[in-house]
Amino acid sequence: MAKKSEIKLLGTVASPFVNRVQFVLNLKSIEYEYIEENLTCKSELLLTSNPVHKKVPVLIHANKPPICESLIIIEYLDEIKPDVHRILPSDPLERADNRFWANYIDNEFFPLYEEMRVTPGKEGKDAIKNRIIEGSVLLEEAFIKFSRGKTYFGGDDVGYLDVVLGCFIARTKFTEKHNEFKVFDEVRTPRLVEWVKRIWSHEAVKDVIPGNELLVNFYTMLQKYRPARAV
Ligand SMILES: N[C@@H](CCC(=O)N[C@@H](CS)C(=O)NCC(=O)O)C(=O)O
C-alpha cells in the first residue's frame, strides 16, 4: 500500500483522463502529490516520463518507472490496493466486457466531441451529432446490461465504467451547451440521465470535475493551438 505522497500524479485540471485517475485515487483513499503540467510548455519531467505520447496523466509510484495511459494507471491502482473499493469486477469475462466498453468510450465515443469542435459548418456538425446520439443509445444499453437494475455500471457503487465514462461528464455538458443538443436525454437514454446526476454528486468525483470556467479556458487554449478545420 502507498504511503503519503509516495504517489505523484502529473496532470492538468481540465483533462478528463487525469480526472479519471483522481476519481480512483479518491475512491481508494490514496494520498498523492498532484503536479500541474502546462501542456503548452511541457516539463522535462513529463517529457522524460512519457516519451512516447508526451501526455498526461502520468503516475509515478515511489520513484519507480512511470506509468502512462489513464486506463493502465487505474488498473494499476486497483491492483496495488485491491482491498479498498475494487473497481474492476472479479469475473474474467465481465472484466473483458468492461474493457471492451472502456475502449469504445475512449476511442470511438469521446473523440466525437473533439471531431465536432474541429468540423466546420452545420452539415458536418449535424452528421457528428447523429453519431454521438447513436453512441449514446449503445451506452444506455450497456448501462442496462452492467447495472442489472442498480444505480451504477458497477452495480451498487461506482465501478470501472462509471469512472471511465464519468470523467467525461463535464466535457459532455460543455459540448451540449456549445452545440445546442443533448447527448443524454430523458426519452432516448433515461437511465443515463439519472446516472449523470448521481455521478455528478458522488463524493469521490465532485471535487475533481472541472468547473465551467476551467473548461472555457481549456477550450480557448484548444481553439488557439488546434483550431477548427477550414470550410
Ligand atoms: N489515451 C490517453 C489520453 C491522454 C490525453 O489525451 N491527454 C491530453 C490531455 S486531455 C494531453 O496530455 N495532451 C497533450 C498533447 O496532446 O500534447 C490516456 O488515457 O491517458
Side-chain angles (χ1 to χ4, degrees):
M1 191 184 79
K3 280 192 233 109
K4 195 170 185 214
S5 296
E6 258 194 348
I7 290 196
K8 293 183 174 42
L9 176 65
L10 273 60
T12 183
V13 279
S15 164
F17 302 101
V18 173
N19 300 156
R20 174 182 284 177
V21 174
Q22 292 174 302
F23 293 174
V24 175
L25 287 162
N26 287 350
L27 286 170
K28 290 182 174 288
S29 303
I30 298 176
E31 299 275 352
Y32 63 101
E33 181 187 340
Y34 177 74
I35 303 171
E36 176 73 14
E37 267 297 320
N38 175 356
L39 293 182
T40 63
C41 178
K42 294 174 183 171
S43 72
E44 203 45 41
L45 182 59
L46 175 61
L47 297 175
T48 51
S49 304
N50 189 354
V52 176
H53 299 302
K54 305 175 179 64
K55 290 184 178 187
V56 291
V58 173
L59 187 118
I60 304 171
H61 184 186
N63 300 321
K64 288 183 250 193
I67 308 165
C68 307
E69 287 293 315
S70 60
L71 294 179
I72 296 173
I73 296 172
I74 64 175
E75 291 201 24
Y76 173 78
L77 293 171
D78 213 27
E79 285 182 20
I80 60 165
K81 203 162 178 185
D83 47 327
V84 181
H85 202 118
R86 220 37 222 267
I87 54 162
L88 268 163
S90 52
D91 179 71
L93 199 58
E94 271 194 49
R95 269 209 304 280
D97 205 10
N98 269 254
R99 288 179 176 130
F100 169 86
W101 282 99
N103 205 289
Y104 171 76
I105 291 165
D106 274 16
N107 299 322
E108 294 182 52
F109 185 73
F110 180 65
L112 292 172
Y113 292 1
E114 176 63 2
E115 191 57 26
M116 180 95 135
R117 185 184 69 78
V118 296
T119 299
K122 181 170 171 356
E123 210 178 305
K125 283 197 194 295
D126 279 349
I128 295 165
K129 210 180 272 184
N130 288 337
R131 288 170 63 200
I132 293 177
I133 286 171
E134 277 166 29
S136 75
V137 173
L138 293 176
L139 289 172
E140 174 85 356
E141 286 163 8
F143 182 83
I144 291 167
K145 176 177 73 170
F146 285 107
S147 62
R148 297 187 179 99
K150 295 190 173 163
T151 319
Y152 295 101
F153 281 93
D156 287 321
D157 207 346
V158 169
Y160 186 69
L161 289 175
D162 296 289
V163 171
V164 171
L165 187 61
C167 72
F168 293 131
I169 293 177
R171 205 67 78 80
T172 298
K173 287 181 188 272
F174 198 78
T175 301
E176 289 178 333
K177 196 168 148 200
H178 280 258
N179 297 284
E180 294 173 349
F181 82 115
K182 286 276 173 219
V183 174
F184 302 120
D185 81 1
E186 296 285 352
V187 175
R188 195 178 358 100
T189 60
R191 301 292 307 280
L192 284 176
V193 168
E194 286 305 308
W195 170 84
V196 166
K197 289 183 205 150
R198 281 191 295 270
I199 282 283
W200 192 253
S201 57
H202 194 287
E203 278 304 312
V205 167
K206 60 182 191 203
D207 291 344
V208 167
I209 287 181
N212 197 51
E213 195 186 333
L214 268 176
L215 284 178
V216 171
N217 292 344
F218 187 71
Y219 194 79
T220 310
M221 191 265 289
L222 277 179
Q223 298 283 51
K224 180 171 171 199
Y225 288 94
R226 280 191 231 141
R229 288 194 287 266
V231 190

